[in-house]
Each structure stands twice: as C-alpha cells, then as structure tokens.
Amino acid sequence: MAMKIFDIHSHVLPGIDDGSQSWDETMQMVFQAYETGTTDLAITHHILHNSDYERENEILEKFEELKSRLAQAKIPLRLHLGSEIYYQHDMDLNHKITTYNQNGKYFLVEFPMQGIPKFVDEKFFEIIVDGKVPILAHPERNLGILQNPVRAYEFVQRGVLMQVNAGSFVGRYGEPARQMAIALMNARLVHFIGSDGHNATRRPVIVHDALEFIVERWGERTASLLFEHNPQKAMNGEEIKIPEPLPIEPPKKRSRFKLFRRFGF
Ligand SMILES: [Fe+2]
C-alpha cells in the first residue's frame, strides 16, 4: 500500500495573498503537487494581522470551489485548510481557518525572518496550556534560530512542533538554511515538511525532492513520520508523540565557537 504524502504548508487559493493569483495558476499548482506524489495538501494563507480574518468567508468559499474543481478534473488530491499566522502577541486564534480542518488544536505560525519575538515563550506557554499546539513554520530560515539553534530545542521541549520547508534541503533558501535544516533533522527537531508553495515556478508546490533526501539520509521510518503519520494526526487534531530531541549541534564551526563563548567554555 502506498504511503500518504502530506504537504502541510502552501498558498494555492487564487487572489488571497502572495501565492496564486488566478484559478489557472491554482490549478497548475495543485496539479504539480499531485503529479509529484503529494496525496494531501494543506492550504495555509498568510494571516498577517487579525484584520485579515475579514477574508475568512472568501477563503472558505474558494477552498470549497477548489475541491469541486479537483473533483471535476478527477484529481484525487485531498485538501486540508489552515492558515499561516504571522506571530503577534495579540494574535487571534479563534477563527475557523486558524487551526487545520477547524480541529481547534494545531496551527501554523511564522516568526519574522529577522529573529525571534520577545516574550514568545510565555505566549506559547499560555497557548499550549489552553490546548493548542503551535507548529513553527520554516525555523531553518529564521535568523534568531540560525544564530542560536538551541532556541529550536527549547521550543520543542516546551511543546512547539516544527515544520521545515522542503526546498531548504535542496538549497532553495541558501546554504545556511540548508545546513540548519539538516542540523534540525539530526537533532530530531523536525516534525513536518511543507512546500511553502507560492506558485508553480520559483516556489513550487513540491515536497518529493525533500522526501527522497530524507529517506536516503534518515531512513524510511523517519520519512513516514514526517510525511504521513505526524501530519495525518495534525490534520485530525489527534495527539502527536514525538521522539525526545537531542541537543542540537550548530552546523558551522564558527557558530559553535560563538555558542561555547556564550556558555562560558
Ligand atoms: Fe508560507
């Protein structure tokens, strides 16, 4: 039996954000996902401010329309709906599109690329106590994590899950992000993979290259956790048991020295 392959991060509905701009483009993107082996695609448009929820109905309607267009085109790609919430202290997490498939539990959240917001640990603690689980989008691209990867370990120890971009493994976001993606994998700090697909060209809706890389390097069991078992549970709102993370090895010698200095070695 073929395994399911989930992509939990994409921007494929037309005219919502910086992702797809037309139904033609949307159909190219979902066909690209299907053709390259994705069986389950989660749609996660940017919510940059709470006011972006004003478009919730439009997103829900376009999601339903995409489902019927897929059915008409006889493409058996399963769709799931969530959002990519830009972290803010006052972010509203109580909308239909906040958590995947309205499960009230798992939601995708991104930090500004330049660093880790202050007081985020306290905020995440509150959220987790309240029964929700933040999934941090592309930590391997965040400058704060790149400079201090131990922060990723701390987040996971406190109940945050991590989604790495498929393109990071093949160098789409540069060498530091590629090395950080590998370091996070080695430390068992990655729980999901997403394409973060925005179009069918430069930021495609493809995860299979990362799947192949992960199977080769960390084995089929790890790959099936990341691409099938964890995301299936996240979409269903079920509990996810994760392996104990390992202390993370900073990927570069230079940053290792910096880290030692920080700890006073
Ligand atoms: Fe995204």
Side-chain angles (χ1 to χ4, degrees):
M1 199 183 75
M3 79 182 260
K4 287 184 183 176
I5 298 172
F6 282 80
D7 171 355
I8 73 154
H9 185 163
S10 74
H11 303 256
V12 307
L13 294 177
I16 303 291
D17 58 12
D18 56 341
S20 171
Q21 297 306 313
S22 67
W23 277 109
D24 274 356
E25 192 176 10
T26 296
M27 296 313 287
Q28 275 180 43
M29 290 165 78
V30 291
F31 191 62
Q32 176 179 55
Y34 177 67
E35 248 190 335
T36 55
T38 299
T39 63
D40 287 76
L41 179 66
I43 299 173
T44 53
H45 285 284
H46 291 290
I47 298 289
L48 300 177
H49 308 282
N50 288 338
S51 61
D52 286 349
Y53 283 119
E54 285 164 16
R55 301 184 72 186
E56 180 168 62
N57 282 336
E58 184 188 346
I59 291 172
L60 288 163
E61 282 164 17
K62 286 181 173 171
F63 179 69
E64 289 307 316
E65 179 166 355
L66 179 54
K67 275 191 191 167
S68 47
R69 283 177 184 245
L70 280 178
Q72 259 170 22
K74 298 201 163 49
I75 300 174
L77 175 72
R78 281 177 296 267
L79 297 180
H80 307 266
L81 185 63
S83 290
E84 180 179 18
I85 317 287
Y86 188 74
Y87 179 87
Q88 322 224 6
H89 297 302
D90 68 344
M91 60 188 176
D92 186 346
L93 300 176
N94 294 307
H95 286 266
K96 285 181 182 169
I97 60 170
T98 306
T99 54
Y100 287 105
N101 296 336
Q102 304 187 35
N103 64 36
K105 195 170 169 76
Y106 295 96
F107 67 98
L108 189 66
V109 60
E110 67 169 335
F111 291 159
M113 289 294 169
Q114 302 77 17
I116 298 170
K118 286 206 171 75
F119 310 115
V120 66
D121 298 81
E122 290 86 340
K123 182 71 188 174
F124 277 173
F125 179 76
E126 258 175 49
I127 289 168
I128 290 166
V129 165
D130 194 42
K132 287 192 170 71
V133 179
I135 298 174
L136 184 59
H138 39 68
E140 78 283 6
R141 301 187 60 202
N142 177 275
L143 263 184
I145 302 278
L146 285 162
Q147 284 162 359
N148 185 7
V150 173
R151 294 293 280 126
Y153 175 83
E154 291 171 353
F155 280 126
V156 172
Q157 284 292 46
R158 289 163 192 176
V160 177
L161 300 177
M162 299 285 189
Q163 174 260 308
V164 162
N165 280 5
S168 291
F169 292 103
V170 294
R172 190 167 289 130
Y173 306 99
E175 186 57 17
R178 193 184 73 84
Q179 291 198 19
M180 183 53 61
I182 291 168
L184 291 168
M185 282 296 301
N186 284 336
R188 302 185 193 155
L189 290 168
V190 182
H191 311 101
F192 307 97
I193 303 297
S195 64
D196 201 358
H198 279 67
N199 47 58
T201 52
R202 282 174 306 103
R203 302 184 70 183
V205 195
I206 292 177
V207 293
H208 81 92
D209 40 7
L211 172 63
E212 283 165 24
F213 185 79
I214 288 169
V215 167
E216 196 173 301
R217 192 141 176 174
W218 292 281
E220 275 184 23
R221 213 187 107 72
T222 298
S224 71
L225 276 178
L226 270 49
F227 286 91
E228 183 173 31
H229 298 292
N230 291 344
Q232 179 74 74
K233 287 179 179 138
M235 297 305 118
N236 294 347
E238 295 162 7
E239 202 194 329
I240 296 173
K241 290 211 174 69
I242 61 161
E244 184 70 13
L246 305 169
I248 184 161
E249 285 285 328
K252 278 188 182 161
K253 266 191 180 165
R254 219 175 41 188
S255 54
R256 183 176 301 156
F257 291 143
K258 262 195 235 153
L259 198 69
F260 282 164
R261 216 179 309 151
R262 196 190 315 271
F263 288 126
F265 290 115

